[in-house]
Amino acid sequence: NLQNKTQVLTDDELGAISLVTDDFKYSHFRILWKMGASTKWEQWQVGVNVTTPSIGLWGSGRRALDNSLVTQFPIPGSGGLPVTEINTFFEETGASYKNPFSVGFGAGRQFGATRLHLTGEIFAPVNEFTIIDSQPFEGQTSGETIDTAITRDLKSVLNVAVGLEHQLKKALGLYGAFNTDFNATDRDGFDDVSVGEYDLYHLSGGVSINVKGSDLTLGGTYAFSTKETVRPEVGLLPDELKLSYTRFSFIVGFDFNFN
């Protein structure tokens, strides 16, 4: 559910209010194949895996849209007149989804008490496809044809990660890692299923404590990103917005040994 509410008051004490609610929900079941192989090469352990595009089985979706705008002054495209516009739509329909072909690779090597881990995965592009094929409808007040279908297209991306594992003592290990999570969406807008559309960077670290053969792991991750986006919804907002994303996560893990 995406919602954008805007209120404006001009220097002439004229007001405007807009409400854009874009709601969609879908589920899709499909099958795919994931194959991999690993081997040892000199001092390295290396591996590769392949993920195939999926074959769709069945899916369902729901689409709702509410786009309302009331102004006491003209805005661009209104013909010099104030605007009163209300558009609502709801439909239940089928759904579909496609995932890209991808190839992953990884390698690891021991350096004394320290182990290095390297990995990455490259994803192929996917041409535009329709997830929810809801029908266009005519605006109740504007008379314009409004497209309600939810579509997506994916660009090719490469995500990589590097991790370090150091055994400080027999019962104490230290961990650290950096990885990328780049967004494959190549456009902004409410007609796409991506919400954040960020290229994320993750930093993580933690410790592992061994007590009588069982392990306790404590750690955390920090994700961050910035981007510029274009959201010209109703002519009342700036065309370009700069957004920042920050997320902290904490990890607690247990590994019990009953032998």
Side-chain angles (χ1 to χ4, degrees):
N1 182 291
L2 304 175
Q3 188 173 90
N4 184 350
K5 182 178 181 180
T6 305
Q7 294 176 310
V8 174
L9 181 65
T10 68
D11 293 337
D12 298 330
E13 295 187 352
L14 297 177
I17 184 170
S18 73
L19 176 64
V20 179
T21 301
D22 197 300
D23 181 71
F24 53 85
K25 181 179 181 180
Y26 69 94
S27 60
H28 186 252
F29 298 88
R30 57 196 187 277
I31 59 174
L32 55 80
W33 286 265
K34 195 175 187 73
M35 301 160 286
S38 62
T39 186
K40 288 186 177 180
W41 177 68
E42 295 184 354
Q43 302 298 318
W44 291 87
Q45 289 182 318
V46 296
V48 63
N49 67 75
V50 174
T51 303
T52 68
S54 58
I55 298 176
L57 299 178
W58 68 87
S60 62
R62 182 190 70 189
R63 187 75 169 96
L65 178 66
D66 181 7
N67 188 338
S68 303
L69 171 64
V70 178
T71 74
Q72 293 180 304
F73 53 86
I75 62 174
S78 67
L81 298 173
V83 176
T84 299
E85 183 173 329
I86 301 175
N87 297 307
T88 58
F89 171 83
F90 178 83
E91 183 180 353
E92 292 187 353
T93 182
S96 182
Y97 198 85
K98 295 181 180 181
N99 67 279
F101 176 83
S102 65
V103 178
F105 52 89
R109 181 174 177 176
Q110 191 79 30
F111 297 92
T114 302
R115 184 167 184 80
L116 173 67
H117 303 271
L118 302 171
T119 187
E121 188 167 12
I122 186 169
F123 299 84
V126 178
N127 293 330
E128 182 176 327
F129 62 96
T130 300
I131 298 177
I132 300 178
D133 192 17
S134 53
Q135 299 300 311
F137 79 105
E138 185 176 294
Q140 285 94 327
T141 53
S142 67
E144 297 181 359
T145 299
I146 300 175
D147 188 8
T148 65
I150 298 293
T151 64
R152 194 177 201 197
D153 56 342
L154 303 173
K155 62 183 179 181
S156 178
V157 295
L158 171 65
N159 283 312
V160 297
V162 57
L164 289 174
E165 175 184 351
H166 181 73
Q167 200 66 31
L168 191 63
K169 296 181 180 180
K170 184 177 180 180
L172 180 63
L174 303 178
Y175 302 88
F178 170 80
N179 69 281
T180 63
D181 184 9
F182 293 149
N183 179 44
T185 302
D186 199 21
R187 57 197 169 104
D188 293 328
F190 280 160
D191 60 342
D192 190 272
V193 296
S194 296
V195 177
E197 301 164 350
Y198 293 97
D199 288 333
L200 297 177
Y201 301 88
H202 299 263
L203 292 172
S204 59
V207 298
S208 177
I209 304 171
N210 185 277
V211 180
K212 296 182 179 181
S214 297
D215 290 321
L216 169 64
T217 302
L218 302 173
T221 63
Y222 168 63
F224 61 95
S225 179
T226 59
K227 66 163 296 182
E228 291 185 356
T229 185
V230 178
R231 299 285 192 186
E233 302 302 342
V234 293
L236 302 177
L237 296 176
D239 289 342
E240 295 185 359
L241 301 174
K242 187 172 183 179
L243 307 177
S244 298
Y245 177 96
T246 302
R247 183 182 68 195
F248 294 92
S249 302
F250 298 95
I251 302 170
V252 179
F254 301 94
D255 183 4
F256 296 105
N257 186 353
F258 296 100
N259 294 328

